[in-house]
Amino acid sequence: MDTIVREGVPITFIEILFKYPKAIRQVGESFSFTSCFLDWFYFVLPIAIGIVMIPYWCDELRVGYYKMVKIRSGKKKYIADVVIINHLNAIICLIASYAIFVISVLLIFRRNGVMPELNGEILVGVTYSLVYALWISAILVFVASLSANPYITVTLTFLINYIVYAKDLPIVLLLIMTVIIDVAAVYLMDRRWMQC
C-alpha cells in the first residue's frame, strides 16, 4: 500500500493500523480505496491472471490434446472459448482481489468508527484496472499461442507490462490495443495450431 506522511515521517497504512490505530480517522477515503491501484497491483496482475489458465492451456497445446477438443467442438468455438475464458479469468481475478481489499478496508474503518465513502475516483480506478486486466489477458493468450510455454508466456507478459505501464496509457488506447492483440492471437492460433 501507499505511504502517507505523518509528522514528517512517511508511513504505510499497515503501520498506521498497528502503531497508531486512532490515526485511522485522519486517513482520507480516497487514500484508503485507491491504495489498491498502486504500482505493485499492476505488476502482480499478469502473474495472478496467467497462473490460473495459461499452464494448462500451454500443456494442452504441447501435448496435442487440443486436436481432440477441436474435432468435437469445432475450430472457431475452441478459439473463442480460450479467449473468452482467459478474459473471464482476468475479470474474476481482478474483482476477487479488489473485493478482498475493499472488504478489509471497510472492516478496518468500521471497527474504528469511520466509514469511507465511494466516489468517482474509485470508479475510474476500477474501470481502468478492468480494461488493464483485459489487455494483460489478451497478451497472455497471444504469447501462449506463440510459444506454448507457460514460463515464457508469463515472463514475457510481465516484461511487456513493466515496459508499457511506465507510459500510463489512456483507457481508450488500452481498449484498442486489447482488441488488436485479441485479433492477432485468434489469427495466430488459427494459423499455427488449428491447421492440422
Side-chain angles (χ1 to χ4, degrees):
M1 290 196 49
D2 198 9
T3 59
I4 60 171
V5 178
R6 185 172 190 269
E7 299 173 0
V9 179
I11 54 177
T12 64
F13 184 76
I14 301 297
E15 287 176 322
I16 292 174
L17 185 61
F18 290 116
K19 290 182 182 177
Y20 315 104
K22 293 182 181 176
I24 288 181
R25 295 177 187 273
Q26 299 171 359
V27 177
E29 295 93 9
S30 63
F31 170 78
S32 59
F33 281 109
T34 57
S35 294
C36 185
F37 301 115
L38 297 174
D39 293 344
W40 67 268
F41 182 78
Y42 293 106
F43 292 145
V44 172
L45 204 56
I47 297 166
I49 294 171
I51 211 163
V52 176
M53 181 188 155
I54 295 301
Y56 303 110
W57 188 55
C58 287
D59 284 344
E60 191 174 291
L61 291 176
R62 280 183 301 178
V63 172
Y65 179 70
Y66 72 94
K67 295 175 186 175
M68 317 270 186
V69 177
K70 181 186 78 166
I71 291 171
R72 286 185 300 216
S73 64
K75 178 172 70 169
K76 290 180 182 179
K77 186 175 181 324
Y78 177 77
I79 292 173
D81 286 348
V82 167
V83 172
I84 291 169
I85 287 172
N86 205 34
H87 284 320
L88 286 174
N89 172 38
I91 292 168
I92 290 169
C93 180
L94 179 79
I95 289 172
S97 63
Y98 191 64
I100 290 169
F101 178 80
V102 168
I103 290 168
S104 302
V105 167
L106 287 174
L107 288 175
I108 289 167
F109 277 93
R110 177 171 286 193
R111 188 184 75 195
N112 289 293
V114 179
M115 279 303 289
E117 295 178 13
L118 298 173
N119 58 22
E121 183 181 345
I122 295 163
L123 294 176
V124 169
V126 170
T127 306
Y128 185 81
S129 295
L130 184 63
V131 173
Y132 202 84
L134 292 175
W135 176 71
I136 288 172
S137 170
I139 292 174
L140 281 166
V141 171
F142 179 78
V143 176
S145 60
L146 190 63
S147 70
N149 185 331
Y151 306 109
I152 291 174
T153 300
V154 174
T155 306
L156 192 58
T157 304
F158 184 81
L159 179 66
I160 291 168
N161 176 43
Y162 181 75
I163 293 169
V164 174
Y165 176 68
K167 297 185 181 175
D168 226 5
L169 299 171
I171 195 166
V172 174
L173 182 60
L174 216 50
L175 271 172
I176 293 170
M177 286 173 49
T178 302
V179 171
I180 290 171
I181 294 170
D182 271 338
V183 169
V186 166
Y187 180 77
L188 186 63
M189 276 191 283
D190 186 32
R191 294 289 172 216
R192 179 157 185 206
W193 301 103
M194 300 297 147
Q195 294 303 319
C196 53

